[in-house]
């Protein structure tokens, strides 16, 4: 499972690099550079776009497999350290199991403030 997590991190970094080196297509929030892809790099754009989709598909598949492995409990870690700590912690018992009868003093026993 650790191998899959490391592989997922490497693929995420590669996807970020692929997205950053692509030429802008001029859509979305882009407001200028109308002729940026006029003469040239269509083949490079196709390769980068296909690579982006492949990396995205790999991220989805690896994420789902990590999720399935962790739900089945067959991961190499064995269990969560937090869950083990919670299992070892004793549950506190209530100190006073009965509700207090009356927390305010009776009206006739109150002293006037001077």
């Amino acid at each position: 499972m650790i191998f899959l997590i490391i592989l997922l991190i490497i693929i995420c970094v590669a996807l970020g690099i692929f997205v950053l080196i692509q030429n802008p297509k001029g859509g979305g929030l882009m407001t200028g550079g109308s002729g940026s892809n006029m003469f040239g790099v269509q083949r490079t754009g196709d390769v980068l776009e296909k690579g982006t989709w492949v990396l995205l598909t790999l991220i989805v598949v690896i994420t789902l497999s990590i999720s399935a492995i962790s739900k089945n409990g067959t991961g190499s870690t064995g269990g969560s350290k937090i869950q083990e700590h919670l299992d070892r912690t004793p549950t506190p018992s209530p100190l006073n199991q009965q509700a207090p009868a009356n927390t305010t003093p009776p009206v006739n026993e109150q002293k006037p403030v001077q």
Side-chain angles (χ1 to χ4, degrees):
M1 186 158 132
I2 299 296
F3 171 72
L4 288 176
I5 293 172
I6 293 171
L7 185 64
L8 181 65
I9 292 170
I10 292 170
I11 291 173
C12 286
V13 169
L15 179 64
I17 292 171
F18 267 55
V19 168
L20 288 175
I21 62 174
Q22 287 183 13
N23 287 330
K25 301 280 193 272
L29 297 176
M30 292 292 294
T31 59
S34 61
S36 65
N37 199 8
M38 185 179 285
F39 292 110
V41 287
Q42 184 64 32
R43 292 185 76 95
T44 306
D46 288 343
V47 171
L48 291 174
E49 186 175 345
K50 287 178 184 177
T52 302
W53 283 107
V54 167
L55 290 174
L56 178 67
T57 305
L58 285 173
I59 287 174
V60 170
V61 169
I62 291 174
T63 303
L64 290 175
S65 63
I66 289 172
S67 176
I69 288 172
S70 67
K71 291 224 184 230
N72 290 338
T74 59
S76 62
T77 59
S80 172
K81 291 184 179 183
I82 296 173
Q83 186 63 40
E84 290 174 6
H85 180 68
L86 289 174
D87 291 340
R88 281 188 275 132
T89 305
T91 56
S93 63
L95 297 175
N96 191 2
Q97 293 185 1
Q98 296 178 354
N102 193 0
T103 57
T104 59
V107 176
N108 57 1
E109 292 183 27
Q110 290 182 352
K111 296 180 180 180
V113 179
Q114 296 178 0

